[in-house]
Amino acid sequence: EVQLVESGGALVKPGGSLRLSCEASGFTFSNVWMSWVRQAPGKGLEWVGRIKRISDGGPTDYAAPVKGRFTISRDDSRDTLSLQMNSLKTEDTAVYYCTAGLGKSDTDYWGQGTLVTVSS
Amino acid sequence: DIVLTQSPDSLAVSLGERATINCKSSQSVLYSFNNKTLLAWYQKKPGQPPKQLIYSASIRDFGVPDRFSGSGSGTDFTLTISSLQAEDVAVYYCQQYYGTPPAFGGGTKVEIK
């Protein structure tokens, strides 16, 4: 069974940093493109960024609002995806979902999400 | 960037009736290399993660009831719920995974009339 478990969500002040993690199981993590998607309160779904397989060179892509502030990385030895968030803004407040693309679309499977609140 | 425009923003449908949601893309999402249309539909309920219903525009994901169907090609797509059930109350999103960023539509809220 595919499982994605996010952790690390917290209340942080504007300008602060936070690191989210996603532990994956039930599939061969190293073979899969992984993404982060967020949903701000009362808003729609917003793609944050993704990391391709190491065998593809492991390139990353980011949405314009987070480029230069957020960094996605992966540790295939631990089946773990990370999202390092720096220079956080109030508009980054959202539930952050870890997703896996297992061959149907880019985001076939989703974790339960972790809440990040940026507020003074 | 590819922009997806969903319509309507919300709709209220009687139980057992048909619900139709539209998604228009600013450019084609047909991947000519394998002739697949790179568009998916998701259902989002409060407090739950999104659930993929449809991928490749028209293929129902595993376990999705057959009252959900996806259709369309090129730039115009439709999600149809043939006979609305109470458990279908949710917000529905289309997403293209052809271009980067793989954007979502704005969402359509489906309620019971």
Side-chain angles (χ1 to χ4, degrees), chain A residues 54-87:
Chain A
I54 299 299
S55 59
D56 293 328
T60 50
D61 298 296
Y62 298 95
V66 308
K67 196 169 187 177
R69 299 188 298 122
F70 288 13
T71 302
I72 297 173
S73 60
R74 63 191 301 158
D75 184 340
D76 289 349
S77 68
R78 298 187 177 190
D79 293 351
T80 300
L81 177 73
S82 297
L83 177 64
Q84 177 66 42
M85 302 184 291
N86 299 330
S87 303

Side-chain angles (χ1 to χ4, degrees), chain B:
Chain B
D1 294 1
I2 298 175
V3 176
L4 297 181
T5 303
Q6 283 185 236
S7 62
D9 292 335
S10 64
L11 74 161
V13 176
S14 300
L15 288 172
E17 295 300 305
R18 179 184 301 260
T20 302
I21 301 168
N22 301 301
C23 176
K24 186 172 183 65
S25 176
S26 60
Q27 67 185 74
S28 174
V29 294
L30 173 64
Y31 187 42
S32 55
F33 178 76
N34 57 11
N35 207 35
K36 287 188 177 181
T37 300
L38 303 186
L39 185 117
W41 287 95
Y42 298 86
Q43 178 190 64
K44 177 68 170 69
K45 297 180 179 180
Q48 297 183 20
K51 175 185 176 183
Q52 182 170 269
L53 300 175
I54 303 286
Y55 61 98
S56 296
S58 61
I59 301 176
R60 239 183 335 267
D61 210 336
F62 181 76
V64 174
D66 60 7
R67 64 180 180 273
F68 291 93
S69 63
S71 62
S73 62
T75 61
D76 291 279
F77 303 94
T78 300
L79 175 70
T80 301
I81 310 172
S82 60
S83 176
L84 191 74
Q85 304 300 303
E87 60 265 33
D88 300 336
V89 170
V91 180
Y92 293 84
Y93 296 90
C94 57
Q95 185 208 25
Q96 63 81 16
Y97 46 102
Y98 176 90
T100 302
F104 291 89
T108 296
K109 186 175 185 178
V110 174
E111 300 173 303
I112 305 294
K113 185 187 290 182

Side-chain angles (χ1 to χ4, degrees), chain A residues 37 39 43-47 50 52 61-63 97 103-113, chain B residues 36 40 42 44 47-50 52 55-56 61-62 93 95 97 99-106:
Chain A
V37 176
Q39 185 174 34
K43 303 293 186 182
L45 299 174
E46 181 183 25
W47 181 83
R50 73 178 164 210
K52 298 181 182 178
D61 298 296
Y62 298 95
Y97 296 99
K104 291 175 282 187
S105 75
D106 275 7
T107 48
D108 298 330
Y109 291 89
W110 298 62
Q112 289 296 313
Chain B
K36 287 188 177 181
Y42 298 86
K44 177 68 170 69
Q48 297 183 20
Q52 182 170 269
Y55 61 98
S56 296
D61 210 336
F62 181 76
Y93 296 90
Q95 185 208 25
Y97 46 102
T100 302
F104 291 89

